[in-house]
Amino acid sequence: MQPPHISESIWWLVSVAVTVVYLITLVPLMPNRGYRIRVSLGPVAGALFAAASGLVKHMGPGELLPLYASVVLGVSLSLVGRRREMRTKVADMAVNGRNRGNELSRATQVQVMAVLLACMAVGLWFTEAAVGRVH
């Protein structure tokens, strides 16, 4: 089954929208300015990684944006229902540093990994379809 064709301009809009969703959902969970800045740089790091990967693999934005959008959206979706735990654990981490007491619960870790893997699979599906249309 092939995914529907989505134009590059639509992928740009989707990427901007999921970046906004990411910032709206994650930045408020952070306990201080330093953490908020680090979390805000996540999409920037993702965009830089995608750009570098595209240069190495000779892929254009139309091929990379589906994967970027799916991963960034996956981060936000992976925390659905886990905001309270995330806020509590990160606040503790800001005060006490990383330790066993402020690790995310196993259920949250499993949820994060499952959602990220599912979103990456969807992103790869769209990316593979875009690559197939280009080559």
Side-chain angles (χ1 to χ4, degrees):
M1 183 163 135
Q2 289 290 328
H5 172 70
I6 299 174
S7 69
E8 185 177 320
S9 58
I10 298 297
W11 278 117
W12 278 108
L13 292 173
V14 169
S15 295
V16 168
V18 299
T19 301
V20 169
V21 167
Y22 171 95
L23 294 171
I24 288 171
T25 57
L26 266 73
V27 171
L29 297 177
M30 299 301 114
N32 60 43
R33 186 172 188 267
Y35 276 78
R36 286 189 290 274
I37 290 171
R38 279 187 252 168
V39 165
S40 297
L41 292 175
V44 175
L48 290 173
F49 176 79
S53 181
L55 288 173
V56 170
K57 297 175 184 175
H58 307 290
M59 296 170 71
E63 300 159 293
L64 297 169
L65 287 170
L67 193 54
Y68 168 85
S70 65
V71 170
V72 172
L73 181 61
V75 172
S76 295
L77 290 177
S78 70
L79 297 174
V80 168
R82 307 291 181 167
R83 291 176 58 87
R84 182 177 303 169
E85 178 185 355
M86 183 72 169
R87 185 179 292 120
T88 303
K89 300 290 184 169
V90 174
D92 183 61
M93 195 181 305
V95 173
N96 301 313
R98 274 201 171 159
N99 61 54
R100 302 270 285 149
N102 56 32
E103 289 179 353
L104 294 174
S105 68
R106 289 284 179 235
T108 299
Q109 292 176 27
V110 169
Q111 177 178 321
V112 168
M113 290 307 298
V115 171
L116 284 174
L117 288 172
C119 286
M120 285 191 292
V122 170
L124 286 170
W125 185 52
F126 277 105
T127 296
E128 183 61 32
V131 169
R133 283 191 283 275
V134 172
H135 298 290

